[in-house]
Amino acid sequence: MPRRKHKGGGRRSLYRRLRAWWIRLGLVCLVILGAWVSWIDHRLRVQFDGYRWSLPARVYARPFELYPGRPLHRAEIIGELGVLGYQEAPLIRRPGQYQQTSNAVRLFSHGYRFWDGEESSRVVEIRLHQGRVQAIIDRRNGTQVALMRLEPLEIARIYPHHNEDRILVKIDDVPSRLVQGLIASEDKSYLHHFGIDPLAIGRAFIENLRAGEVRQGGSTLTQQLVKNLFLSSERTLWRKINEAVMAVLLEWHYSKAEILEAYINEIFLGQDGFRAIHGFGLGARFYFGRPLRELEVHELALLVGLVRGASYYDPRRHPKRALERRNQVLALMINRGALTPAVGGALMKLPLTLSKKNRSATSNHPAFVDLVRRQLGIIYDDEDLRNEGLQIFTTLDPQIQRRAEQALRVSLSELERQRRMHAGHLQGAVVAAAIDTGEVLALAGGRDPRYAGFNRALDAKRPVGSLVKPAVYLAALSQPSRYNLITPLYDNPIVLRQRNRAPWTPQNYDKRYRGRMPLMRALAESNNVATVRLGIDLGIDKLQRTLAQLGVSGEIPPYPSTFLGAIEMSPLEVAQMYQTLSSGGFYSALRAIRDVLTKDGQPLQRYGLTVKQVLPAAPAYLINYALTQVVRSGTASSLGAKLPRSMPLAGKTGTTDGLRDSWFVGFGSDVLAAVWLGADDNRPIGLTGASGAMRVWYEVMKERPPAPLDLAVPRGVEWQWVDAPGMARTTPSCPGSRRYPFITPFIPSRHAPCDWRQESDYARAPREFLW
Amino acid sequence: MVKLRRRFLGTVLVAALVDVGAPIQPWNALTAAAESEGAGISAAPAASMVSPAVAALLRLARSQADAGHGEQAAATLERALRIEPRNPWLWHRLAVLRLQQGYWDRAAELAKKSSVLARDHRRLLTGNLEVIQAARARISRSNVE
């Protein structure tokens, strides 16, 4: 406190002391400021260096393979090209275009770097003849192409939780016109300033004063990037200062190129439902359906224009505004000398050239993708799946998938109409798979394909009814000393008394009894009583073992009703069981994924082809033969009549108690499909396997039915003519004699003379004899 | 069922199957001898037995295997199998490849599949038998060790 005595000297010392205090204060402030700046600096560098954008996982369908001899209809290839975004054009000039002639389809493929081989971009002519590819000619050099595959179709993305979506681009791959456009429109002196542009701020300030409102910002690209990456969007002075400091620091540590690259990948360019479009890479795809490097200058200018307001200038919702804004950008580019006035002027006259919006915001086939996620979830964390940009190559065949979805949608409505059911009462599921490789080709979880809710193909566990019978008969045929295809079974009344349960009288569908019949016919006609008798003879443990061999996991109830299918399985589990049967006894776990790659295309995981022989070849052959009889003359004979050129086809119908579930599984030599119909509330639907599920199966398969079953006779099986009662060998000329396969050495050996009076018990079976 | 969850840290996970560029490992004397005596058939099938597409894939798989890219070769053979799923030659080649990579169980099963499809083709049947025997020998060896 100054003393009054030292007035003159006191003022000077006061001044000096105050100054000392101010200096101290100033120093402290400087230190605090320095600490703050270096803290920001540290945070910024850590974040920017470690910054990895969350990229969604991308899910692809199987690539479409083309080779001479491949069965192919014109509509199939055109459909495939359509979903890949190819456009029909009178002249083929660039990748992504195709052309049709009377006997061929010409296309310019994009090419793709698959991890197991590069597919080059080609101009080819695909000649079609009688439903097959006749030849593939490379139009650039006239050579024949033995095999090619198209780029894979993306069917879904698995998004990060914040729903941002982007396609990363490297600065070297960015068209220079885009950079010029950005600089001209957003930050004229980007290449020269140090993070902030005082001149620009000053100019903006004056402009805004003059206009009386905030018209221009003086923000550099760097500042915009900082705002987007690190800061909130509140517009306070404090935030502006933060932003400025961080922009300067960013420029201090990183090059113009690095910052620009980050900017190009970060900037928000649109909203598609719940999905936020970030970065020019995805912006190009989203608005123009093409990769960034293929865009024309006016298209780039449109994207640049979106930076100022992606929703405001949305070209799909506000085309006029978008066009004006685009031309503004073009004008700025002319101003800056990036474009000549002539060129720029011509570009401004062009209309908007947007592509149709892809339905890729939501997954196209949620039920199938659901299976993919479950199979991946065994190995990958949910976070990794959503954020690391994994590329997942699946087994999906979009053509079969489309037919399955359509069949469910259309057939269920028709069935409801025909049977006067309440609309929406019926539900269903379809699983299609390749027999020898176990690849899941299609999976539909309900009649509404876009509804990503209850996935009946995976989760609807329903009693399988007669679908279990092949397992019973297989168990029998695996004991060739006791059973063969013509062993007599007895469809006679039987009552089963079980401990602690009411006595059970199994019944056939029509409540009749037919007496003695050969084993194969009992299966073909799905006879219940004969099957129960057979099962009891065999023992439930044999059935349990057979089902386990077939890949049916889960508990198998040890009751006689199990012989008639009182076990619950999902359609996928049913498909698995029949995969093992139809492949001749080689179990191959049904899988939906082929490969998983990192975002850079490095292989991470392969789901390679594996098989395991779980049944000997001979009984597997017999059961498959028996299942062809189901379609030829048994419960599925109306299907056989509709697909004569696909015969032999094998299958099994399944109907449950009270007509609550309708099942059908059918297969040829390459493909199998399992169909289930029912009501979610388990009420009766009044449909048998043949009248319900089999009709849907036909709708799925009719365009491209399975290849006929090629029943090559394995070692250990011999065909033999036997007489009508099936007791003795005979010759073809005897009436009632037929050929059957038998497991050696258990073939009827006794020869019998022809009994010309003998009338075949099996009159309905076609006879083969020579006059 | 035990769920395996592995944290993905931006490094390449080596799951059971992926070839990370290592050459096909030469294994011990027993199987090396078997290979040099020709466990499995190394010559290509006759041209009449495969379509041009499959022939091209067989050649590609061969060169990939020779260059040490076992998984790529397997993927190529699987691609061929999707075109001709009942061609016993393809199953046989895949069996031989898996044997060379040391996947004994798999190799044996693939050879069995080939044999079922091969029916009376003596050469293929013999080749598959060699693969199965070599695989079994190796399995029992590793059980003893």
Side-chain angles (χ1 to χ4, degrees):
Chain A
M1 209 155 155
R3 278 176 264 167
R4 282 191 207 113
K5 274 193 278 186
H6 306 271
K7 254 209 182 122
R11 204 174 286 134
R12 260 203 307 279
S13 77
L14 165 63
Y15 173 67
R16 248 185 306 214
R17 230 175 278 144
L18 274 179
R19 196 178 63 178
W21 273 108
W22 277 117
I23 290 173
R24 271 186 221 128
L25 198 63
L27 278 173
V28 168
C29 281
L30 215 60
V31 166
I32 293 176
L33 188 72
W36 173 65
V37 167
S38 58
W39 176 66
I40 292 186
D41 179 66
H42 172 75
R43 245 190 63 201
L44 184 140
R45 271 195 300 155
V46 162
Q47 280 195 276
F48 198 75
D49 279 342
Y51 205 92
R52 285 181 300 142
W53 279 272
S54 301
L55 297 172
R58 286 178 275 163
V59 184
Y60 298 96
R62 60 91 190 97
F64 194 76
E65 300 256 18
L66 286 160
Y67 49 90
R70 186 204 204 274
L72 186 68
H73 296 310
R74 181 185 289 262
E76 284 174 304
I77 178 74
I78 301 297
E80 193 77 28
L81 292 175
V83 293
L84 281 171
Y86 281 64
Q87 291 178 331
E88 193 159 8
L91 271 179
I92 299 182
R93 279 181 302 118
R94 53 173 170 82
Q97 293 180 320
Y98 73 93
Q99 195 186 40
Q100 297 192 59
T101 65
S102 58
N103 68 337
V105 174
R106 293 183 189 150
L107 63 98
F108 194 156
S109 70
H110 278 116
Y112 193 84
R113 182 175 284 128
F114 293 95
W115 76 275
D116 62 342
E118 172 135 9
E119 194 69 34
S120 40
S121 167
R122 287 187 237 244
V123 185
V124 289
E125 176 169 306
I126 301 163
R127 295 202 189 131
L128 303 167
H129 182 62
Q130 292 187 341
R132 284 182 188 269
V133 174
Q134 188 186 46
I136 304 175
I137 316 287
D138 186 323
R139 285 182 62 79
R140 284 198 272 220
N141 55 27
T143 54
Q144 300 251 3
V145 178
L147 177 67
M148 65 177 278
R149 48 189 166 172
L150 297 179
E151 56 275 25
L153 172 69
E154 187 182 299
I155 57 167
R157 296 207 175 172
I158 304 174
Y159 287 100
H161 285 291
H162 49 60
N163 292 323
E164 281 181 19
D165 195 4
R166 46 173 61 80
I167 295 176
L168 286 186
V169 292
K170 292 224 165 330
I171 192 67
D172 299 321
D173 298 328
V174 174
S176 55
R177 290 276 186 231
L178 175 63
V179 175
Q180 288 165 355
L182 271 175
I183 290 178
S185 154
E186 296 298 315
D187 185 359
K188 295 184 181 38
S189 16
Y190 175 70
L191 297 171
H192 309 301
H193 64 59
F194 54 93
I196 54 179
D197 188 356
L199 284 178
I201 294 175
R203 267 201 303 270
F205 188 62
I206 295 171
E207 256 306 312
N208 292 338
L209 270 185
R210 244 192 251 154
E213 53 171 1
V214 177
R215 267 251 205 100
Q216 281 190 38
S219 286
T220 60
L221 290 176
T222 320
Q223 281 173 278
Q224 288 182 38
L225 177 64
V226 161
K227 182 179 75 174
N228 277 304
L229 279 186
F230 303 125
L231 302 172
S232 66
S233 57
E234 45 181 38
R235 292 149 139 256
T236 60
L237 182 65
W238 177 240
R239 212 226 65 209
K240 263 307 201 186
I241 293 174
N242 241 325
E243 180 190 287
V245 170
M246 288 174 99
V248 171
L249 289 171
L250 202 64
E251 292 257 2
W252 189 23
H253 292 299
Y254 302 100
S255 69
K256 292 281 180 193
E258 283 171 304
I259 294 171
L260 193 57
E261 184 180 88
Y263 181 92
I264 284 172
N265 283 308
E266 170 55 30
I267 206 78
F268 174 71
L269 289 178
Q271 192 73 30
D272 179 25
F274 67 83
R275 173 171 81 131
I277 311 288
H278 280 259
F280 284 87
L282 185 58
R285 281 272 177 208
F286 179 62
Y287 291 107
F288 301 106
R290 305 202 316 278
L292 184 62
R293 64 176 183 279
E294 286 183 18
L295 293 191
E296 319 260 2
V297 181
H298 61 284
E299 295 169 329
L300 294 171
L302 181 89
L303 293 180
V304 170
L306 287 173
V307 165
R308 285 283 173 91
S311 314
Y312 188 74
Y313 295 114
D314 184 339
R316 292 190 174 115
R317 281 187 294 142
H318 309 290
K320 266 184 69 186
R321 243 186 244 164
L323 195 74
E324 267 170 36
R325 176 81 191 120
R326 179 198 77 179
N327 289 350
Q328 245 178 21
V329 171
L330 286 171
L332 288 166
M333 286 173 81
I334 296 174
N335 249 336
R336 299 276 303 163
L339 293 172
T340 64
V343 170
L347 289 171
M348 287 203 250
K349 298 209 184 74
L350 293 173
L352 293 180
T353 53
L354 301 170
S355 67
K356 276 199 297 260
K357 199 152 75 125
N358 238 339
R359 279 197 309 153
S360 58
T362 48
S363 147
N364 281 341
H365 308 293
F368 179 82
V369 176
D370 187 12
L371 177 62
V372 170
R373 293 182 66 169
R374 292 188 202 197
Q375 293 195 338
L376 286 174
I378 295 169
I379 298 186
Y380 296 101
D381 220 282
D382 193 55
E383 279 307 304
D384 300 337
L385 208 51
R386 290 178 178 280
N387 291 292
E388 298 296 333
L390 296 179
Q391 298 184 60
I392 301 160
F393 290 82
T394 71
T395 56
L396 181 77
D397 182 324
Q399 311 258 0
I400 304 181
Q401 178 71 29
R402 183 185 46 85
R403 293 196 280 261
E405 291 175 355
Q406 193 171 356
L408 275 179
R409 197 175 51 238
V410 171
S411 300
L412 292 192
S413 304
E414 242 178 63
L415 283 166
E416 280 170 345
R417 250 198 326 271
Q418 281 172 11
R419 308 257 164 172
R420 278 182 255 229
M421 278 186 255
H422 180 62
H425 180 62
L426 262 187
Q427 269 294 353
V430 176
V431 178
I435 290 172
D436 293 301
T437 60
E439 294 196 333
V440 177
L441 303 171
L443 192 126
R447 67 194 287 173
D448 184 353
R450 274 163 321 186
Y451 177 56
F454 184 45
N455 190 339
R456 292 165 190 83
L458 304 183
D459 297 324
K461 292 203 189 264
R462 305 293 288 240
V464 297
S466 309
L467 287 193
V468 80
K469 286 177 182 156
V472 180
Y473 286 75
L474 175 63
L477 293 168
S478 301
Q479 300 179 26
S481 58
R482 292 179 65 196
Y483 301 98
N484 59 41
L485 285 177
I486 53 172
T487 302
L489 299 185
Y490 294 89
D491 179 15
N492 292 328
I494 180 175
V495 178
L496 291 165
R497 296 184 201 288
Q498 306 164 73
R499 213 178 320 191
N500 300 330
R501 293 177 141 220
W504 179 44
T505 306
Q507 295 275 352
N508 290 321
Y509 181 61
D510 56 3
K511 309 272 196 280
R512 285 170 49 203
Y513 296 95
R514 289 163 180 68
R516 201 177 81 154
M517 62 170 62
L519 183 143
M520 194 166 76
R521 186 168 4 142
L523 179 58
E525 294 176 3
S526 208
N527 191 288
N528 283 345
V529 180
T531 304
V532 171
R533 283 178 173 273
L534 176 63
I536 290 173
D537 261 357
L538 283 169
I540 188 77
D541 57 313
K542 295 286 191 310
L543 174 61
Q544 286 172 323
R545 188 141 46 99
T546 303
L547 284 170
Q549 281 173 325
L550 290 173
V552 177
S553 55
E555 259 207 60
I556 295 155
Y559 307 121
S561 53
T562 303
F563 297 125
L564 295 185
I567 45 177
E568 296 188 336
M569 288 167 60
S570 67
L572 184 71
E573 290 172 324
V574 166
Q576 177 71 75
M577 173 181 154
Y578 279 79
Q579 179 279 323
T580 314
L581 277 177
S582 57
S583 64
F586 284 85
Y587 170 87
S588 182
L590 293 183
R591 61 204 158 97
I593 306 159
R594 285 186 190 165
D595 311 289
V596 179
L597 311 185
T598 64
K599 64 177 184 288
D600 305 311
Q602 294 308 305
L604 199 59
Q605 178 94 25
R606 273 208 73 220
Y607 291 71
L609 172 55
T610 50
V611 296
K612 186 166 152 65
Q613 184 170 32
V614 294
L615 303 170
Y621 173 84
L622 293 193
I623 200 71
N624 280 332
Y625 176 71
L627 290 176
T628 64
Q629 301 307 302
V630 172
V631 182
R632 199 141 92 100
S633 55
T635 54
S637 57
S638 60
L639 181 69
K642 283 203 255 197
L643 292 169
R645 271 177 314 182
S646 305
M647 297 293 273
L649 269 182
K652 187 72 195 77
T653 53
T655 313
T656 57
D657 224 16
L659 302 181
R660 283 168 217 275
D661 302 276
S662 166
W663 290 94
F664 183 70
V665 183
F667 57 92
S669 66
D670 51 356
V671 171
L672 77 83
V675 178
W676 167 82
L677 300 190
D680 284 341
D681 57 10
N682 209 19
R683 282 196 295 191
I685 57 173
L687 290 167
T688 61
S691 60
M694 193 171 85
R695 307 238 316 236
V696 176
W697 190 100
Y698 174 70
E699 291 301 317
V700 177
M701 290 302 202
K702 66 181 181 192
E703 247 176 74
R704 186 157 288 297
L709 211 63
D710 95 67
L711 282 169
V713 185
R715 287 184 304 285
V717 172
E718 246 181 62
W719 282 75
Q720 190 55 244
W721 289 95
V722 293
D723 63 1
M727 311 285 13
R729 263 191 205 183
T730 182
T731 60
S733 52
C734 294
S737 68
R738 286 208 62 204
R739 286 177 83 225
Y740 296 99
F742 295 92
I743 297 180
T744 58
F746 304 100
I747 308 178
S749 50
R750 186 175 62 86
H751 280 265
C754 281
D755 185 349
W756 295 93
R757 290 164 305 156
Q758 180 109 179
E759 203 39 57
S760 173
D761 218 351
Y762 320 127
R764 275 195 286 137
R767 289 185 214 192
E768 301 172 272
F769 54 90
L770 314 160
W771 286 110
Chain B
M1 185 173 182
V2 173
K3 287 199 168 208
L4 300 166
R5 297 205 180 262
R6 301 187 205 172
R7 186 82 200 122
F8 173 57
L9 295 168
T11 56
V12 172
L13 274 180
V14 181
L17 311 168
V18 173
D19 163 45
V20 287
I24 294 169
Q25 300 295 338
W27 8 280
N28 76 1
L30 173 72
T31 39
E35 224 238 328
S36 64
E37 279 166 71
I41 304 161
S42 53
S48 56
M49 306 194 82
V50 293
S51 61
V54 169
L57 288 172
L58 276 171
R59 282 194 299 271
L60 176 61
R62 191 71 214 238
S63 65
Q64 286 169 328
D66 287 343
H69 302 308
E71 264 330 291
Q72 281 189 348
T76 302
L77 287 173
E78 289 174 22
R79 207 175 145 198
L81 273 169
R82 284 192 283 271
I83 296 173
E84 291 185 18
R86 299 247 152 137
N87 185 326
W89 275 101
L90 298 175
W91 291 96
H92 175 76
R93 288 266 8 119
L94 190 58
V96 169
L97 177 66
R98 291 310 193 189
L99 188 70
Q100 290 171 334
Q101 288 180 308
Y103 298 120
W104 321 118
D105 281 315
R106 284 207 195 170
E109 296 293 338
L110 291 163
K112 284 191 220 170
K113 176 84 178 185
S114 171
S115 281
V116 167
L117 295 169
R119 299 180 55 211
D120 294 323
H121 193 298
R122 299 261 304 275
R123 205 157 150 248
L124 258 184
L125 291 175
T126 314
N128 286 325
L129 204 54
E130 286 170 11
V131 170
I132 295 171
Q133 284 170 343
R136 286 203 183 133
R138 188 61 173 163
I139 292 171
S140 57
R141 222 169 203 267
S142 61
N143 285 339
V144 163
E145 279 157 16

